[in-house]
Amino acid sequence: MQGANAPQEDLKTKRTCAVARHPPDVFTGVKMALLRPLDKLPTLDVATVLLLGTEETLLQQLGAAIIEECEGTAKIQVHMASSLPLPSDRECFRPRIDLIVFVLSLHSKYSLKTVELSLPHVDASFFLGKVCFLVTGARNEQNNGVHLDTVKKMAATYHSPLLFADLEVKCFRVSMAQRLIRILQICAGHVPGLSALNLLSMMKGSLDLSEQECD
């Protein structure tokens, strides 16, 4: 029987530009483990990002933008999930995760709650520069169901960067995809002389990274 709330996990790979949708995970009675950054060997020259959130359409659009923007420059895999934990019965098929991006919509309290419930399933070592929070919907405050201060406190509590982008607008989505690619490459160790800890230190003075205007 399929779990009603089982996380859905997608995979997009730059090398083939193909989208493979995994079937719903069956995890009744399966032991769930913490998601750890160093429990697997890295794949040569490949960086993997996990986009996590309840806004499925926005995650798919952001994932597609990342794949398009890295075309010809990097080998990047994009996984997507609605929540954590990820079922451990698929662990053997899952690559090492180099960066987790928690995507929150200020229009949805469910979005915030899902992230809050997912965070305890992330090993503390991930918060050494391999996690960031991405907020969408901040430009339309009238429809906000989540206070921005709540999200800012969450990012500060977990010592992780807070990014902003209206993912429904293509130019903002593309700009954020480019930024995430750069962060991901550093987290995966593909930028000589820089590491996730270096990145976290550089961002420490400005964890609140606001989006820029479209040209």
Side-chain angles (χ1 to χ4, degrees):
M1 180 179 68
Q2 292 183 344
N5 297 317
Q8 297 283 338
E9 188 181 356
D10 292 340
L11 170 64
K12 293 184 175 66
T13 307
K14 179 264 164 190
R15 289 174 294 177
T16 61
C17 296
V19 179
R21 182 179 297 277
H22 294 288
D25 290 302
V26 181
F27 61 93
T28 303
V30 176
K31 181 180 179 181
M32 303 298 180
L34 285 176
L35 195 59
R36 294 182 172 88
L38 300 177
D39 60 351
K40 291 189 175 186
L41 293 175
T43 304
L44 184 62
D45 296 330
V46 176
T48 302
V49 59
L50 174 64
L51 304 179
L52 190 144
T54 59
E55 306 295 324
E56 182 179 355
T57 299
L58 294 181
L59 260 63
Q60 289 177 347
Q61 291 175 338
L62 178 59
I66 291 173
I67 297 301
E68 291 173 3
E69 290 303 309
C70 74
E71 182 71 29
T73 61
K75 296 177 182 178
I76 288 179
Q77 293 181 337
V78 177
H79 282 251
M80 302 177 191
S82 59
S83 63
L84 293 179
L86 301 177
S88 58
D89 62 342
R90 298 189 61 82
E91 181 66 24
C92 60
F93 303 107
R94 196 174 294 123
R96 190 176 81 170
I97 303 298
D98 299 299
L99 173 68
I100 302 175
V101 181
F102 288 99
V103 181
L104 300 101
S105 171
L106 293 184
H107 304 326
S108 170
K109 292 182 179 179
Y110 176 63
S111 174
L112 174 65
K113 188 65 175 179
T114 299
V115 170
E116 289 176 335
L117 293 176
S118 296
L119 283 166
H121 299 286
V122 179
D123 187 75
S125 56
F126 251 115
F127 297 101
L128 299 176
K130 291 179 175 285
V131 167
C132 64
F133 295 90
L134 172 54
V135 173
T136 186
R139 297 170 64 87
N140 191 358
E141 297 180 1
Q142 294 181 347
N143 297 327
N144 287 354
V146 177
H147 291 293
L148 184 56
D149 285 346
T150 301
V151 182
K152 288 183 176 180
K153 289 178 181 177
M154 178 186 295
T157 298
Y158 286 92
H159 304 285
S160 299
L162 180 60
L163 311 175
F164 291 88
D166 188 346
L167 297 180
E168 294 183 354
V169 180
K170 184 177 180 179
C171 63
F172 291 136
R173 189 166 62 243
V174 170
S175 177
M176 180 52 61
Q178 293 170 347
R179 181 178 295 185
L180 290 177
I181 289 170
R182 185 61 173 173
I183 294 174
L184 174 59
Q185 289 174 327
I186 294 174
C187 290
H190 295 174
V191 180
L194 287 178
S195 67
L197 279 176
N198 297 140
L199 180 66
L200 183 61
S201 179
M202 289 186 292
M203 290 184 169
K204 193 173 183 179
S206 57
L207 291 181
D208 181 352
L209 302 178
S210 300
E211 65 186 3
Q212 299 177 349
E213 293 295 329
C214 282
D215 294 332

